[in-house]
Amino acid sequence: FASPQPLTGEGVGDEGQGRGSGDGGRARQAEGSSLSLSSFKQYLLVEGMGLEELSLEQGGARIKFSCIREEDGPGQDQEGVQELKRELSKGLDCLVKTKAAPIGPDGKFLGNCACLLEGEQILISRSGRSPEDPSDLERDFARVTSFDSGSWTAFFNSADADCEPSSDTPLHWFSLIKAPTDFKWKERPRVVLHGHSFETKVR
């Protein structure tokens, strides 16, 4: 899923104001990666690297959209959410065991998951989990309450202060929230497991 924003420059999105009743929210700006077209073509053709892998290898930010944290809304710990976290955690383990969540150039897993929540929100795995990180239901998941495609901004809350939603939040948001309506699907998906894989050589 490609961001409509360029991967070069001073970052993505505006500072903005959060919609919570706290301090107005906190915008996290993703730093743009300095990646020339010629450099990308060289890696793609010679090394078999994709754009995202190359960006991570060069130290680029995973999250390429703005994140604004909100105060926990009503029902953050509602009955059933913990069970959903446990099921999503099993899904992440399945991605790892089947090698659909390899370790990226930055030492973090490439693979994520999300599920639909009431109120047109999603529960999604966090960004930047490493193989050394133990499973932690409170730290591993964030609730995305809204995604603004115009400003490329995710509004979210999480139990852990260091937890931010997956860098593939736009993909999950549009798969679970937008696509069913926009494409008039007869059945609405409730869960998305998203994996990655790398070719070992150029075909």
Side-chain angles (χ1 to χ4, degrees):
F1 187 91
S3 164
Q5 303 289 349
L7 291 180
T8 58
E10 298 180 353
V12 180
D14 301 318
E15 285 294 331
Q17 292 294 321
R19 299 173 301 165
S21 58
D23 61 1
R26 173 178 61 83
R28 176 189 185 279
Q29 299 299 324
E31 298 179 358
S33 58
S34 56
L35 177 64
S36 68
L37 181 59
S38 61
S39 177
F40 169 59
K41 286 182 178 180
Q42 177 183 359
Y43 271 82
L44 184 62
L45 297 176
V46 178
E47 303 294 339
M49 279 191 173
L51 180 60
E52 180 66 9
E53 187 183 3
L54 176 56
S55 173
L56 293 177
E57 186 178 76
Q58 292 186 339
R62 278 193 167 221
I63 298 178
K64 296 177 176 66
F65 51 86
S66 295
C67 288
I68 296 182
R69 183 182 293 275
E70 303 177 311
E71 288 189 349
D72 289 354
Q76 171 65 15
D77 295 319
Q78 67 186 19
E79 184 179 354
V81 171
Q82 286 299 105
E83 180 60 28
L84 289 173
K85 289 180 179 180
R86 282 190 284 270
E87 292 301 315
L88 288 178
S89 184
K90 292 177 183 177
L92 289 175
D93 289 341
C94 181
L95 289 176
V96 173
K97 290 177 181 178
T98 58
K99 302 186 185 304
I103 300 172
D106 60 354
K108 311 293 185 181
F109 280 123
L110 297 173
N112 38 70
C113 61
C115 70
L116 186 66
L117 294 175
E118 294 180 1
E120 298 297 287
Q121 302 176 7
I122 65 173
L123 184 66
I124 189 166
S125 55
R126 70 179 173 96
S127 176
R129 182 182 173 188
S130 72
E132 292 77 24
D133 293 336
S135 177
D136 185 329
L137 297 184
E138 297 305 312
R139 185 179 61 178
D140 289 345
F141 298 96
R143 177 195 296 254
V144 176
T145 60
S146 180
F147 186 86
D148 187 339
S149 59
S151 62
W152 211 241
T153 300
F155 297 87
F156 78 103
N157 55 57
S158 59
D160 190 282
D162 294 327
C163 172
E164 291 185 319
S166 167
S167 59
D168 284 317
T169 292
L171 181 151
H172 290 279
W173 182 264
F174 283 95
S175 297
L176 294 170
I177 302 294
K178 290 286 293 177
T181 300
D182 291 353
F183 297 107
K184 298 178 173 58
W185 291 348
K186 294 182 179 179
E187 294 186 60
R188 186 175 190 177
R190 301 192 64 83
V191 178
V192 173
L193 288 178
H194 175 223
H196 291 251
S197 63
F198 291 131
E199 294 289 345
T200 55
K201 58 185 177 180
V202 179
R203 292 182 178 179

